[in-house]
């Protein structure tokens, strides 16, 4: 990415994160139950979903961005955003869908290396 693309992406990520923070405050965020993996990670941390969402709202920045916005591969409306974050010395991958609030689609240790393209920008 060139400098203009990096700055524009940073702007888009910051807009998403501001809306995400608002959604957390208003209770407009939820887990999509597809796999027990998310719940297992929460149990290992000793957290409830609300604890995770509050932590993410307070700690995610553009530097945690991995990818997005991108369209959902299943063709449904709403943008997909992917982030990585270190919690208690463990890296986690988080995937959100931005539609009617925020849906947390994934929360688990990454299956592949996370590449933080905006880190240090």
């Amino acid at each position: 990415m060139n400098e203009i693309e990096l700055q524009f992406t940073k702007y888009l990520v910051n807009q998403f994160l501001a809306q995400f923070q608002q959604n957390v405050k208003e209770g407009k965020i939820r887990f999509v139950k597809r796999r027990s993996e998310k719940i297992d990670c929460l149990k290992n941390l000793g957290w409830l979903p609300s604890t995770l969402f509050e932590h993410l709202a307070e700690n995610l920045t553009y530097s945690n961005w991995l990818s997005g916005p991108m369209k959902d591969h299943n063709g449904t409306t709403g943008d997909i955003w992917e982030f990585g974050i270190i919690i208690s010395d463990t890296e986690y991958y988080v995937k959100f869908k931005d539609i009617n609030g925020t849906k947390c689609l994934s929360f688990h240790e990454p299956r592949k290396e996370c590449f933080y393209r905006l880190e240090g920008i």
Side-chain angles (χ1 to χ4, degrees):
M1 273 192 243
N2 66 38
E3 184 62 28
I4 293 171
E5 291 170 325
L6 285 172
Q7 292 303 322
F8 183 67
T9 300
K10 181 179 170 182
Y11 169 79
L12 290 176
V13 172
N14 283 332
Q15 279 193 314
F16 169 78
L17 290 172
Q19 185 60 56
F20 171 74
Q21 291 168 344
Q22 189 64 35
N23 288 343
V24 170
K25 285 180 189 174
E26 296 175 2
K28 295 180 180 177
I29 183 165
R30 65 182 179 89
F31 270 130
V32 172
K33 296 178 184 175
R34 288 197 274 186
R35 296 189 179 115
S36 64
E37 191 174 26
K38 291 185 285 273
I39 302 304
D40 291 342
C41 286
L42 284 177
K43 285 180 183 177
N44 290 340
L45 288 167
W47 288 3
L48 298 170
S50 59
T51 310
L52 172 66
F53 298 146
E54 289 169 11
H55 181 82
L56 295 175
E58 292 171 5
N59 292 283
L60 281 180
T61 70
Y62 67 86
S63 293
N64 298 99
W65 175 79
L66 300 173
S67 68
M70 57 191 163
K71 297 300 172 198
D72 198 329
H73 66 85
N74 66 13
T76 59
T77 59
D79 290 324
I80 301 293
W81 292 84
E82 297 174 322
F83 293 86
I85 189 166
I86 306 292
I87 302 173
S88 300
D89 297 322
T90 301
E91 185 176 41
Y92 291 94
Y93 164 83
V94 187
K95 181 163 72 171
F96 299 111
K97 186 166 187 174
D98 187 24
I99 182 170
N100 300 325
T102 305
K103 295 179 181 178
C104 183
L105 304 178
S106 296
F107 174 71
H108 53 78
E109 291 183 35
R111 295 187 181 104
K112 59 183 180 180
E113 184 178 356
C114 292
F115 180 57
Y116 299 93
R117 295 182 281 171
L118 294 179
E119 191 171 45
I121 299 297

